[in-house]
Structures are given as structure tokens and as C-alpha cells.
């Protein structure tokens, strides 16, 4: 395991990987409890999967951008540590499965050789920053959002303010008012805008706040109609600080930002964000965009000779899969990737292709596809030929027949019914029975294996959610059918209505009924106006007969893509660990946080040092409160409870209240003097609590 140390140039990254290696060892020795270890490994992209003894690795790829060298590196890692399959997610990440926990530090070190990280790809942190895959090439865009998405990724990666929040935090950047990055379902969503001020065009964003999917989807609020780009980073930091301090931590189902904003109200939440302004590291943060400007460079300028044998198929591919860029003479080529899964042999050939002929860039998309950018018009026949040889030239990119689905019961702990199996069957039905929909982009179909909506089923025109249904003493796989969702643009969207639960094997019939009825009544309607004109009851009646379970056959008890009878199994796959003293574990972590604060202070990172010291004090207080079974569901409640349980009763003697001590953080600017004093205060508090803890243990 030591071999990778000398190969990592960045000492921060090296320390991170060595820390993962150390914690794996401590966990296996029973010195770190399972819950705390889970938190650490998730923040390093290591996720337990349904199968025992192996992990899913999520590779964090900001806005889905990948170079040839990076794609080769990912393919090599997948072959060495996994099974050669790559899975594109709906957040533009890549996942590989069936990886041994012991080998994850080594795997991570290999990826970092080409500047690829696992850090914060999972866990209660800022997840992958997504963006429109056409950003920078879209003729309708206000400006290229890519550098702003990149700056956001860089600023908050490893940032102490967002390492151990109550839940995950998701952000997106949409290039146009079409909102192709889905701002309305994000914790923070940004839509590119320009505004004329004194004859000058200013760049900025419409900011959407506290959207989300899951079992209780919520349309994001408009936080700002126009936020100038230099205020982007400070605004995000203010929101994250408030979420970290006031967000729910004990009740996981209520821990997302959408519940906090709903509970407080938008105005009260924005007031708390404003109160954080003084503590921010930057009041303004101009973003340098020059690295993302300039003309694309091509390694090979010569156009290979190509003879197209099937001109009709070539034209069909061009009509559905080729997009004109705003750069004259250049085109983007969409690749429809079935269920987001492809293999390393094809990945390498694709990497060589973009290196030589397409300015060395592709982007994984929010619909689990691939978009090659900067293809010269003369090269389109050549690209068609090369992609066809890889099985990547099927028409229908981003069409109705291009179904989005999460992994479901294939690998996910939470999957209830197969999403990939039913997706494959629905795609077959569309291709064979409804060929016109291969080029139709007006209807989207999305599938999730459970209510968590990783497949985004509840924002689709037609959505399916994996469930189970009881028939006598037996369980059959089932689907909840949802209809009427969609993206309306400019930060607005609709969530689909839940209509009816049906056995999974009747899913294709549900799709046929909906499409047949749409064709019979569409007139001038698009799908959403067609749905709204008839209403939920009409569609319930249309599908009601499919819910009948009185005459199920043996086949109905076998899920799509499976050969054996359905068994409902949720939450299998996480490793077991030895449960140890949680209070001691929390205090041990507080020491680590104080160490981080000291390192940041010595490096001149005042704001980082202050937040590490703050986190150490919160963690230390939580340790004692855990022993008292006191309320610790938010950081704010930890502060309040500590004053009530320990300070007011004089069990712990402090110069002032714990609240006064801790909340110096948002009453002072992040200067060197304050950072130094705040760290001394945090160290003194830890010493006081450690002494109290030792006394209690001695008495026991």
C-alpha cells in the first residue's frame, strides 16, 4: 500500500489517501465504529453496494468533463480493480462496482495521476457540481457557465465548511433559460443571465434555492433574480454555513436543505445567510475565465476518407444525434448509452478518437449519455463510421426512447424493484412498436428503483418507481406510475402525479396505453398540456385495470431482468464493525479537527482554520451530550443543549456561555489574529471537556 506515496505530487491529496488507508485499518481492528467509518469513506467516494464484501466507487467528474488521458486512466482503473464496466450517473459522475475496500486507497492514488478525485463524490458534502453538457457551445447561451462550475468545484472541495453536513448538497449550472441542468430540483441552481448596466453587459445568474426530489419533491425558490458572478462563491458559502449550523442531523429523512428553508421560511433563511457575511473569507470572488477561452485545438487536421454504405441510416443519425455548435463549422455528437453502461474497451477507443480529432474533450451528460464536442463538419461521416463500429451510433440521443434509469436492485442497497430491467423492456417496446418516438424529444421517461429518485422519475413526463405489492402471502415486484412532470424552463418545473401501483410485468402495457391515448387526442397539444387538459382522474381510470392482482401468473412474481422469484431486500451490503465508545470516538475526531485548524493557521488559511476550530468545539460538545442522550439534531441545538445541560448547571465551567464562545465565528472577520485566538479558545475548551470526561469515567 505504501508504493503510491512517492507518486502523488499533491501533498494534500497524499494525506487524504493515507488517511483513508489508516481509517480502513482502524475500522477492521474495531477501533473506529461503523457509523463514523461510513461517514469518512462516503466522503471519499466509497459506497457500500448490495453485494456483501465489495464497494461501489463513485468518481467525481465536475460537469462531466473528461479528457482522453483521464478516460484512459478510468478505464485502466476499472480493469485493474473492478470488472471493466463504467456506469454514467444522472450527476455526470462515473461509477465502478465490485471493488475491494482494502484496494480503494490504491485505486484513488491511480486516478489522481490524471487529476481525478473521489473526494466528496458521496456522503454529506457538496456533491458533484453539474452543468449543461452544451455549456460553451450552445448558440442560445448567455455565456459559458463552465468556468463558474469549475471554480465552484475547486473552492468547496475539501473546504471545512461543508465536510460533515447533515445531508448531501447538490448544485447545478444551466447555460440557457431552457434549464437543461435542472436548477429547480437542486439545493442551489444557477441559470446564466446577462443584465445591462450603464451600457455594459454584466454576467450573472438567476439563483434557485432549496429544490429537491425524493419522496417529497420541492420546487426551488427564487433566491435572486440576478446575482453578479463575483458574488457567486460568497453566496454559496453563506448558504452552506447556515445549512451546516441549522440543518437537521438526527432525522435523515428531514435533513435536506429543502426542509430547513420550508421550516424557517425563505426570508428568515436569507436573513441567516446575511448574518454570515462578515465571517466569509471573501466578500467578492472574481472568477478567471481565461483558461476556458480560445479556439479548440486539433491534433490531426487531415480528414480520413470514408464511404457511407447506408445513407438513410447516416441521415437519421445526423438528425437526432448531431448538434450545431455556436462555433461556426463545429458540431457536437451525442452518443446514446443504454442505461448509462459501457465498457473499457470502447472507452479507450473513444478516448483515442477525441484526442486525435475532437479537441480532446467529451462530457458525460445528465441523461447518462456522452457528448463529444468540437467535431468539424467534414469529419461527421468519419465519426459516424467509427462510432458505429463501437455500437455508439444508434439514433435517438436525448429522445423518448432514451430512457433514464438508476441501477436499482442490480447493485443499490435501497433498490426495491429492478429499474434497469424494465427500462430495457420499455426501450424495446418503443423501438419495435413506436419507432416515431426514436426521434421525439418532447416526452421523457425516467425510472427509479425506489422513492429516493436517483432516476428522477418524479420529474418525468412518464415516470416509474420501483415498489413491491402483496398478493395473499406472496410479494410481487411492482411499479408506481407517475405522469405529468417536466422541465418548463427558467427555473420552473412540474412534478409528476402519482397515479397507480401496478405489477412490474404490466409496465409495458401502461406505456402503450399512455402513448396510444396521447396519439389519439394530442391535436395541437404537447404531452404536458394533453395531461393537464384531462386531469389526474382521467389517467387513473385509464390505467386502473392494470392494478388488478387477482390473476397474476408465475411470471408476474419474477422481476424484469431476473430469473428467480422476487424477494424484497433493502439495506443489505454494508460491512459490520465492532461498536465502541462513541463519546471517545467523537473526542478523538475533535483532536483531529484541532490538528487541521492548527495546520490551516500555519499555512495562512485563516477562514479554514476558524471553521476547523468551530467544528472541533461542536464535535466536542456533541460528545458529552451523546453521553447524556441530549438533543443533538442540529449544530445550533448542540450549542443550546450544552449550555442548558452543562454550563447552566455548572457541571462545566466556562468564562461565558458556550454560545458566546462558539458564535464568535460569525461576529468576526476571518483575520490572522482572530483565527489564532479562536483556535486557542477551541483548544482550551477541548482540554476542559477532556478533563471533565476523565473525572466522570473515574467516578464510574
Amino acid at each position: 500500500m505504501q508504493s503510491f506515496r512517492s507518486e502523488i505530487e499533491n501533498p494534500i491529496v497524499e494525506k487524504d489517501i493515507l488517511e483513508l488507508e489508516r481509517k480502513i485499518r482502524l475500522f477492521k481492528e474495531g477501533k473506529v465504529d461503523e457509523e463514523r467509518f461510513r461517514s469518512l469513506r462516503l466522503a471519499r467516494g466509497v459506497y457500500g453496494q448490495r453485494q456483501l464484501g465489495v464497494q461501489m466507487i463513485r468518481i467525481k467528474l465536475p460537469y462531466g468533463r473528461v479528457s482522453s488521458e483521464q478516460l484512459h486512466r478510468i478505464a485502466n482503473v476499472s480493469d485493474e480493480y473492478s470488472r471493466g464496466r463504467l456506469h454514467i450517473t444522472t450527476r455526470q459522475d462515473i461509477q465502478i462496482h465490485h471493488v475491494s475496500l482494502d484496494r480503494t486507497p490504491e485505486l484513488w492514488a491511480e486516478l489522481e495521476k490524471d487529476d481525478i478525485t473521489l473526494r466528496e463524490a458521496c456522503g454529506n458534502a457538496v456533491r458533484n457540481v453539474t452543468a449543461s453538457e452544451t455549456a460553451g457551445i450552445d448558440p442560445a447561451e448567455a455565456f459559458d457557465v463552465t468556468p463558474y462550475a469549475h471554480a465552484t468545484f475547486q473552492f468547496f472541495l475539501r473546504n471545512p465548511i461543508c465536510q460533515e453536513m447533515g445531508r448531501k448538497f447538490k448544485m447545478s449550472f444551466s447555460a440557457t433559460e431552457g434549464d437543461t441542468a435542472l436548477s429547480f430540483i437542486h439545493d442551489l441552481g444557477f441559470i446564466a443571465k446577462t443584465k445591462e448596466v450603464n451600457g455594459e453587459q454584466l454576467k450573472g445568474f438567476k439563483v434557485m434555492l432549496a429544490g429537491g426530489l425524493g419522496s417529497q419533491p420541492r420546487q426551488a425558490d427564487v433566491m435572486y433574480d440576478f446575482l453578479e458572478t463575483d458574488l457567486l462563491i460568497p453566496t454559496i458559502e453563506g448558504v452552506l454555513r447556515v445549512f451546516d449550523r441549522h440543518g437537521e442531523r438526527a432525522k435523515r429523512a428531514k435533513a435536506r436543505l429543502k426542509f430547513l428553508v420550508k421550516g424557517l421560511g425563505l426570508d428568515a433563511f436569507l436573513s441567516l445567510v446575511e448574518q454570515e457575511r462578515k465571517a466569509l473569507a471573501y466578500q467578492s470572488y472574481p472568477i478567471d475565465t481565461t483558461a476556458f477561452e480560445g479556439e479548440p485545438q486539433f491534433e490531426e487536421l487531415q480528414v480520413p476518407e470514408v464511404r457511407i454504405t447506408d445513407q438513410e441510416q447516416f441521415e437519421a443519425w445526423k438528425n437526432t444525434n448531431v448538434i450545431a455548435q455556436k462555433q461556426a463549422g463545429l458540431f457536437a455528437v451525442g452518443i446514446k448509452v443504454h442505461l448509462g453502461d459501457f465498457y473499457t474497451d470502447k472507452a479507450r477507443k473513444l478516448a483515442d478518437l477525441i484526442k486525435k480529432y475532437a479537441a480532446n474533450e467529451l462530457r458525460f451528460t445528465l441523461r447518462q449519455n456522452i457528448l463529444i464536442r468540437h467535431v468539424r463538419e467534414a469529419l461527421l461521416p468519419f465519426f459516424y463510421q467509427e462510432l458505429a463500429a463501437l455500437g455508439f451510433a444508434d439514433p435517438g440521443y436525448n429522445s423518448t426512447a432514451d430512457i433514464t434509469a438508476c441501477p436499482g436492485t442490480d447493485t443499490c442497497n435501497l433498490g426495491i424493484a429492478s429499474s434497469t430491467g424494465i427500462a430495457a423492456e420499455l426501450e424495446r417496446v418503443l423501438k419495435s412498436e413506436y419507432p416515431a418516438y426514436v426521434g421525439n424529444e418532447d416526452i421523457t421517461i425516467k425510472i427509479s428503483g425506489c422513492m429516493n429518485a436517483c432516476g428522477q422519475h418524479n420529474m418525468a413526463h412518464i415516470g416509474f418507481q420501483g415498489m413491491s405489492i402483496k398478493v395473499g402471502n406472496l410479494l410481487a415486484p411492482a411499479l408506481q406510475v407517475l405522469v405529468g412532470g417536466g422541465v418548463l424552463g427558467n427555473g420552473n418545473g412540474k412534478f409528476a402525479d402519482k397515479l397507480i401501483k401496478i405489477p412490474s410485468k404490466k409496465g409495458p402495457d401502461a406505456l402503450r396505453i399512455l402513448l396510444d391515448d396521447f396519439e389519439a387526442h394530442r391535436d395541437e397539444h404537447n404531452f404536458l398540456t394533453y395531461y393537464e387538459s384531462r386531469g389526474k382522474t382521467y389517467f387513473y381510470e385509464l390505467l386502473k385495470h392494470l392494478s388488478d392482482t387477482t390473476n397474476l401468473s408465475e411470471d408476474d412474481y419474477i422481476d424484469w431482468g431476473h430469473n428467480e422469484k422476487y424477494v424484497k431486500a433493502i439495506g443489505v451490503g454494508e460491512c459490520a464493525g465492532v461498536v465502541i465508545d462513541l463519546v471517545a470516538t467523537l473526542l478523538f475526531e475533535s483532536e483531529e479537527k484541532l490538528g487541521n485548524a492548527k495546520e490551516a493557521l500555519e499555512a495562512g488559511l485563516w477562514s479554514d482554520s476558524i471553521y476547523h476550530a468551530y467544528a472541533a468545539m461542536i464535535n466536542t460538545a456533541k460528545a458529552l451530550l451523546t453521553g447524556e442522550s441530549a438533543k443533538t439534531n442540529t449544530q445550533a441545538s448542540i450549542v443550546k443543549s450544552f449550555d442548558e445541560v452543562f454550563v447552566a448547571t455548572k457541571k462545566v465551567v466556562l468564562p461565558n456561555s458556550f454560545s458566546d464562545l462558539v458564535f464568535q465565528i460569525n461576529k468576526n472577520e476571518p483575520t490572522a489574529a482572530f483565527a489564532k485566538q479562536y483556535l486557542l479558545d477551541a483548544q482550551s475548551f477541548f482540554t476542559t471537556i477532556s478533563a471533565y470526561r476523565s473525572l466522570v469515567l473515574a467516578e464510574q
Side-chain angles (χ1 to χ4, degrees), residues 293-301 330 354-361 373-374 376:
E293 297 168 354
E295 297 297 317
Q297 301 297 310
F298 302 100
E299 184 178 289
E300 177 60 66
L301 296 176
L330 294 181
I354 65 168
K355 172 76 170 177
K356 200 169 185 179
Y357 296 104
N360 198 17
E361 180 184 346
R373 297 146 59 96
H374 311 311
R376 287 162 286 159

Side-chain angles (χ1 to χ4, degrees), residues 142-143 193-204 226 228-229:
F143 57 87
K193 299 280 185 179
T194 55
K195 181 179 181 180
E196 187 171 326
V197 178
N198 299 325
E200 180 185 357
Q201 286 289 327
L202 293 182
K203 294 178 181 179
F226 188 84
E228 292 183 27
T229 56

Side-chain angles (χ1 to χ4, degrees), residues 621 624-625 628-633 636-652 654 656-660 692:
L624 282 200
L625 289 168
E628 300 287 333
S629 300
K631 190 175 182 180
T632 59
N633 61 316
S637 68
I638 288 171
V639 176
K640 183 180 179 183
S641 294
F642 192 87
D643 273 332
E644 292 172 350
V645 175
F646 292 104
V647 179
T649 60
K650 299 192 182 303
K651 290 180 180 178
V652 172
L654 300 177
N656 296 298
S657 70
F658 184 52
S659 175
D660 288 340
Y692 173 81

Side-chain angles (χ1 to χ4, degrees), residues 612-638:
H612 281 306
Y614 163 78
M617 286 192 280
I618 293 292
N619 210 66
T620 302
K622 182 179 179 180
L624 282 200
L625 289 168
T626 299
E628 300 287 333
S629 300
K631 190 175 182 180
T632 59
N633 61 316
T634 69
Q635 290 183 346
S637 68
I638 288 171

Side-chain angles (χ1 to χ4, degrees), residues 309-450:
T309 56
D310 190 335
Q311 192 66 32
E312 184 177 345
Q313 188 70 9
F314 173 60
E315 292 299 326
W317 172 79
K318 280 207 302 182
N319 288 337
T320 62
N321 293 39
V322 176
I323 304 164
Q325 298 186 184
K326 68 179 184 182
Q327 296 85 358
L330 294 181
F331 294 81
V333 175
I335 298 173
K336 177 186 169 187
V337 182
H338 178 64
L339 302 178
D341 291 332
F342 68 116
Y343 288 83
T344 52
D345 56 341
K346 295 182 179 181
R348 290 189 181 88
K349 290 177 181 176
L350 200 58
D352 293 338
L353 194 62
I354 65 168
K355 172 76 170 177
K356 200 169 185 179
Y357 296 104
N360 198 17
E361 180 184 346
L362 61 75
R363 297 200 186 183
F364 297 119
T365 83
L366 295 160
R367 289 184 66 171
Q368 301 175 290
N369 289 321
I370 296 170
L371 187 70
I372 302 173
R373 297 146 59 96
H374 311 311
V375 177
R376 287 162 286 159
E377 186 170 14
L379 281 171
L380 288 175
F382 171 70
F383 265 82
Y384 173 72
Q385 172 188 272
E386 296 300 302
L387 294 176
L390 296 175
F392 278 163
D394 289 343
Y397 173 79
N398 278 359
S399 72
T400 302
D402 188 2
I403 295 174
T404 299
C406 70
T409 52
D410 290 356
T411 55
C412 179
N413 283 334
L414 302 176
I416 297 174
S418 173
S419 44
T420 57
I422 182 62
E425 179 61 17
L426 296 185
E427 285 194 0
R428 187 197 66 76
V429 168
L430 287 165
K431 187 174 182 179
S432 61
E433 300 176 31
Y434 300 88
Y437 284 94
V438 171
N440 184 308
E441 294 185 6
D442 297 330
I443 300 175
T444 58
I445 301 172
K446 297 177 182 284
I447 306 169
S448 299
C450 73

Side-chain angles (χ1 to χ4, degrees), residues 160 164 244 586-598 608-624 635 638 642 658 661-662 665 678-679 681-687 689:
E164 295 179 354
D244 194 33
L586 288 167
L587 289 174
F588 173 68
E589 290 176 351
S590 295
E591 280 191 288
E592 291 184 333
K593 294 177 193 300
L594 288 171
N596 293 336
K598 184 179 179 183
D608 286 5
S609 176
I610 291 163
Y611 214 88
H612 281 306
Y614 163 78
M617 286 192 280
I618 293 292
N619 210 66
T620 302
K622 182 179 179 180
L624 282 200
Q635 290 183 346
I638 288 171
F642 192 87
F658 184 52
L661 174 65
V662 170
I665 188 172
Y678 198 62
L679 175 55
D681 290 343
Q683 290 170 331
S684 176
F685 178 69
F686 179 79
T687 300
I689 298 310

Side-chain angles (χ1 to χ4, degrees), residues 7 22 87 103 171 216 234 281 292 331 357 506 509 514 536 540 641 645:
E7 299 175 7
R22 185 173 73 89
H87 176 73
R103 301 194 74 191
M171 291 186 275
Q216 299 179 56
F292 297 86
F331 294 81
Y357 296 104
K506 297 183 181 181
D509 287 336
L514 290 170
K536 181 177 178 179
Y540 169 77
S641 294
V645 175

